[in-house]
Amino acid sequence: MVDELQMAELLCTRLCHDLTGPIGAVHNGAEFLSEEGFNLQGQAMELIISSAFSAVTRLQFYRMAYGIVRDHGEASLADKQKLAADFFTGSKVTLDWPDSHTDAAGVSVSLRMSRLIFNLIIVASGALIRGGTISIRIGQDAEDHKQLTVGANGPGLKWDTEIEKMFTEDLAEPELNPKNVQAYLTRRFIDELGAKLACSVSGETLSMQLTQANAG
């Protein structure tokens, strides 16, 4: 049986770790400005502005990934696309999410499905240890099943078998740790939507293809 408190602790630890950098940089920039005789105010303000932007976008991204969403209602994929792109601003990861695979795709995506997209993006980014590109493609197959493909491509791509097991094996009594807790949460969201995920790795490319037959 999963210890829900442990899962919350692991996710909060991850969240705090990811926010420490930009918030600390804002603090450093403010300290520089308060120093008497400091003559690099312009650079300090640039540091504060860019770091504050990073902190805000990360908070917004994680709120979408981990926060409560309504059971009903469709997501605006154009808004989600911008939020995801902002999240990777200034990082070694770039986002390839064309407009043609947002609202223009003509595929209805629920708020819960959009939350799952963000969690799959987090999983994909974890495999890009040296940076690279994350791609998002959304569509429907011949039987009107929703199909979502999240890809990751980059040098030194690292796909841990422990993470893949979270997507493919029975989750009756998983042993959670900082490495696999994100995959576990993502699997829970997949099961909640009655969807199926297939993962494949070829060279420096990871592909995670989600198929959902039911509405949602």
Side-chain angles (χ1 to χ4, degrees), residues 9-49:
E9 290 172 341
L10 289 168
L11 289 170
C12 285
T13 299
R14 176 192 181 99
L15 178 62
C16 291
H17 177 271
D18 206 39
L19 290 172
T20 296
I23 293 176
V26 171
H27 178 262
N28 291 338
E31 282 195 330
F32 291 151
L33 288 177
S34 67
E35 291 180 1
E36 186 176 349
F38 184 74
N39 59 1
L40 297 175
Q41 285 85 356
Q43 289 89 328
M45 283 303 301
E46 288 179 6
L47 174 63
I48 291 172
I49 292 170

Side-chain angles (χ1 to χ4, degrees), residues 152-169:
N153 177 268
L157 179 88
K158 185 176 181 181
W159 182 239
D160 199 306
T161 55
E162 184 177 353
I163 294 177
E164 185 164 359
K165 286 179 180 178
M166 283 289 175
F167 293 135
T168 59
E169 297 186 0

